[in-house]
Amino acid sequence: MSFKIKNTEKENIGIIIVEGEVDMFTSPSLRDKLLPYFERGVKGVIVDLSGVSFMDSSGIATLVEGLQWSKKNIKEFILTGLGDNVLNALSLTKLDRVFNIKADTDDAYKELSER
Amino acid sequence: MIKVENLVKKYGNVTALNHLNCRFETGKVTVILGGSGSGKSTLLRQLTGLEKPDSGSVYFDGVNLTTANKKKLYGIRRKMGMLFQGSALFNYLNIFENIAFPLREHTKIADNIIKTIVTMKLEMVGLRGTEKLMPSQLSGGMMKRVGLARAMVMDPKIIFYDEPTSGLDPISTGVIDKLIKDLNQALNITSVVVSHDMESCFRIADNIMILFFGDIIAEGTVEEIRNSKDLRVKQFINGEPEGPIPFTRTDKNYLDEILFR
């Protein structure tokens, strides 16, 4: 499955939708989408991973950077739509409990925008 | 998965691999056993595409390594990890840079991301905190674990281990064995282990293959190999000096050689 990424922003909340395989060669694109939000200091970032078929260590490490940003700046960094493959990759690196994980992007956005 | 078909490799008059057929299943640990000169390392070189065979094929997930062009071969090699016999760490780089090396060479991943990946891999081998040490400051067992972290850093689909426990004390051997088994299970990868160490082999193997002068003389589970009636297998697994596997490498009679030269 080829890699695709797109992003939108609503009410100072960044939403990134990722599809396909996130590996050593595609994860820099995910980072490129994330960094501007971190630098600008938006209210929060939601990463929709429902279309991700595979994620390797570099993908996980890229998401960890989002988590580092959120902890440092007291912002929200939310992952949504995680399939078993991504959940397994997170649990393998013992990081499955540290992320804010929601089932659905719309619900995550609603929760975040009401804050 | 790796499939080997009718593989032949000769060095001069010596047939190192003699029409070999075998497969290495995904999610399994396969241990290749054999004495010195049995063809283990030659097979490893063909499996990794480091050497071309005289004939036959090696398929990695359906791609024939023996006919693949350089670009394709390099792409496939990124999916392979290798733990070398002597760990092969770079003495002039600290532990962090040793593990980060493949990422810096083959990808454009940012430093901050590399740092997280290295930390994750060091956690897997139980060596977080050693990042700034130099290889010379580590024990042999720790060096093997760093080598393993480096072998895993690109998230390979297959890891080759060349005598991973040689020269290690029993506890370090146990630690490496456990890591090989656990990581294989957790990551659902293919593990190919070349070994001499029978105890270690019986602990980690799902499948065992015994090579003898370029031929596979036995293949099977630990139980099947333990119960093999083949005298060569029995001699090998029991480490008996006398038996059908000769100690000497030449067929020429010793007295003939001494008396009639």
Side-chain angles (χ1 to χ4, degrees), chain B residues 70-88:
Chain B
K70 215 174 208 178
K71 195 179 168 199
K72 202 157 201 175
L73 195 57
Y74 282 12
I76 291 169
R77 283 231 194 91
R78 284 198 204 104
K79 296 175 186 171
M80 298 176 174
M82 177 94 186
L83 177 60
F84 296 94
Q85 199 172 343
S87 303

Side-chain angles (χ1 to χ4, degrees), chain B residues 187-205:
Chain B
L187 305 169
N188 193 35
I189 52 177
T190 308
S191 297
V192 179
V193 183
V194 163
S195 182
H196 279 129
D197 188 335
M198 293 311 308
E199 261 185 58
S200 165
C201 165
F202 287 151
R203 267 202 296 257
I204 62 173

Side-chain angles (χ1 to χ4, degrees), chain B residues 205-218:
Chain B
D206 292 304
N207 295 310
I208 299 172
M209 180 189 300
I210 302 183
L211 288 180
F212 177 61
F213 287 131
D215 286 310
I216 297 171
I217 57 165

Side-chain angles (χ1 to χ4, degrees), chain A residues 24 31 56-57 65 92 94, chain B residues 110 112 121 123 153 155 187:
Chain A
M24 304 272 166
R31 187 169 191 258
D56 73 0
S57 306
E65 197 174 37
L92 196 64
K94 302 177 187 170
Chain B
N112 194 30
K121 302 300 172 184
E123 170 69 14
V153 81
D155 289 344
L187 305 169

Side-chain angles (χ1 to χ4, degrees), chain B residues 31 33 177 181 195 197-206 208 210 220-227 233 236-238:
Chain B
V31 179
L33 289 173
D177 284 346
K181 194 77 184 160
S195 182
D197 188 335
M198 293 311 308
E199 261 185 58
S200 165
C201 165
F202 287 151
R203 267 202 296 257
I204 62 173
D206 292 304
I208 299 172
I210 302 183
T221 61
V222 170
E223 222 35 48
E224 285 164 345
I225 295 294
R226 272 192 208 272
N227 298 326
V233 175
F236 192 84
I237 63 176
N238 296 322

Side-chain angles (χ1 to χ4, degrees), chain A:
Chain A
M1 194 178 183
S2 63
F3 177 79
K4 278 186 204 158
I5 189 162
K6 57 182 180 182
N7 63 313
T8 54
E9 191 180 329
K10 285 191 275 184
E11 294 178 38
N12 207 25
I13 297 167
I15 302 170
I16 299 175
I17 300 164
V18 193
E19 281 178 29
E21 298 192 350
V22 185
D23 60 20
M24 304 272 166
F25 303 95
T26 57
S27 64
S29 306
L30 171 59
R31 187 169 191 258
D32 288 346
K33 294 284 185 201
L34 284 168
L35 280 184
Y37 290 126
F38 300 158
E39 282 160 9
R40 274 181 34 224
V42 288
K43 189 174 175 183
V45 175
I46 300 166
V47 184
D48 184 331
L49 300 168
S50 54
V52 171
S53 54
F54 169 81
M55 181 171 281
D56 73 0
S57 306
S58 70
I60 301 292
T62 305
L63 297 177
V64 166
E65 197 174 37
L67 200 59
Q68 290 164 346
W69 165 80
S70 73
K71 300 268 182 216
K72 198 170 160 189
N73 299 289
I74 320 167
K75 304 277 185 184
E76 284 296 334
F77 184 74
I78 304 173
L79 306 180
T80 64
L82 277 71
D84 283 348
N85 43 15
V86 179
L87 280 170
N88 285 344
L90 285 176
S91 97
L92 196 64
T93 47
K94 302 177 187 170
L95 294 169
D96 46 339
R97 291 190 189 160
V98 295
F99 282 100
N100 185 355
I101 297 171
K102 303 276 180 218
D104 184 76
T105 299
D106 290 341
D107 291 347
Y109 174 75
K110 201 175 160 199
E111 190 188 313
L112 205 50
S113 60
E114 282 168 1
R115 281 189 197 172

